[in-house]
Amino acid sequence: MFFLRENYRHPEFRKGFRDMAGVAPGIAAWGLMTGVAMVKSGLSVSEALLMALTVFAGSSQLAAMPLIQAGAPVWVILATGFCVNLRFMVFSAHLRPYLMHLPRWQRLVTGYLSADLTYVLFTQRYPQPGEGEAARRAQMAYLAGNGGINWASWVSSSVVGVVLANFVPTAWGLGFAGILALVGMLASLASSRMRWVSAGVAGSAAVAAFALPLKLNILVAIAAAVAVCLLLESRLAPLKPEEAAG
């Protein structure tokens, strides 16, 4: 979608590009270590390059690597990737009103290019779907610029990691830079009590359920945060806005 003229010529395209550029180095470091991990887990260079160029899902890739190295059944690897990526069902449900005016192929491409930071920055910039053609075009241009540099930084760094796998030791821990980028975005979004509660509940649940197999602690964290926040919203809904805020 970032090759569409109406997107890359729009001022919001450059705005989305600049917003993501600030965290792109962290994403690139994470992608570099993912490329290294793919080769060191036993994949051939050609297999690792194929995954780097087609699979745009860093967390599930990292979760799958130890399972591939251990010779786990394919269904276990696929189930792990599915569980780790369940959060994108929440993202897609939230983004649906923004995208339903687009042709199907553009919705599919947008879904493929949407990642954690893409979603965070976009919804921070546009809390509500635009009304009217001009507003929708601006939103799509921003999302294209945002997602474009995110995808490019991840894929290019993953390819570099595959090529240089024997020269970049995993002990460098460069993947932690990606985690720091996510933590920074989380801190910037914690602008209300409800968001602080959801982050706290999700973090606590993820740690408490860490021993679960197949990274199911992530699913538990999402479910716990959603359930608690829905319960709190139902209790606070009858109150006046100032009472709920206090």
Side-chain angles (χ1 to χ4, degrees):
M1 61 180 180
F2 39 83
F3 293 116
L4 295 177
R5 179 176 299 179
E6 62 266 27
N7 285 339
Y8 69 75
R9 288 189 172 182
H10 198 284
E12 283 296 292
F13 182 91
R14 293 188 291 275
K15 172 63 177 173
F17 189 96
R18 288 194 301 269
D19 287 350
M20 182 58 73
V23 295
I27 298 299
W30 197 357
L32 178 67
M33 293 311 301
T34 300
V36 172
M38 285 191 286
V39 174
K40 292 187 179 295
S41 68
L43 294 180
S44 67
V45 173
S46 58
E47 291 171 337
L49 284 175
L50 179 63
M51 177 177 281
L53 292 171
T54 57
V55 180
F56 185 45
S59 299
S60 61
Q61 284 175 260
L62 289 174
M65 290 305 107
L67 298 177
I68 294 175
Q69 193 171 23
V74 173
W75 73 268
V76 173
I77 299 172
L78 293 177
T80 300
F82 176 79
C83 291
V84 171
N85 282 336
L86 275 176
R87 66 192 186 281
F88 288 103
M89 296 182 65
V90 179
F91 295 171
S92 62
H94 186 194
L95 291 176
R96 187 177 187 275
Y98 293 89
L99 304 176
M100 284 308 296
H101 66 284
L102 297 175
R104 179 176 296 175
W105 73 267
Q106 290 190 36
R107 297 200 303 271
L108 291 174
V109 172
T110 302
Y112 171 74
L113 293 174
S114 295
D116 298 272
L117 293 180
T118 306
Y119 169 80
V120 168
L121 289 172
F122 177 75
T123 54
Q124 189 175 41
R125 175 72 171 170
Y126 295 104
Q128 300 296 330
E131 296 183 3
E133 183 63 26
R136 290 174 178 173
R137 187 178 295 116
Q139 291 182 349
M140 293 304 100
Y142 181 90
L143 190 58
N146 183 337
I149 187 174
N150 188 40
W151 179 85
S153 61
W154 175 267
V155 171
S156 60
S157 61
S158 295
V159 170
V160 171
V162 171
V163 174
L164 301 180
N166 293 325
F167 304 97
V168 181
T170 53
W172 284 7
L174 292 178
F176 189 62
I179 298 175
L180 291 178
L182 292 173
V183 171
M185 293 305 302
L186 172 64
S188 69
L189 285 174
S191 56
S192 67
R193 288 188 177 183
M194 191 65 74
R195 290 180 177 180
W196 276 106
V197 169
S198 64
V201 170
S204 300
V207 172
F210 183 76
L212 290 177
L214 305 178
K215 302 292 184 180
L216 287 174
N217 62 315
I218 297 176
L219 178 59
V220 171
I222 295 172
V226 170
V228 170
C229 289
L230 287 176
L231 178 61
L232 289 176
E233 284 188 343
S234 66
R235 296 289 181 86
L236 294 175
L239 300 177
K240 295 180 181 180
E242 57 271 17
E243 293 175 332

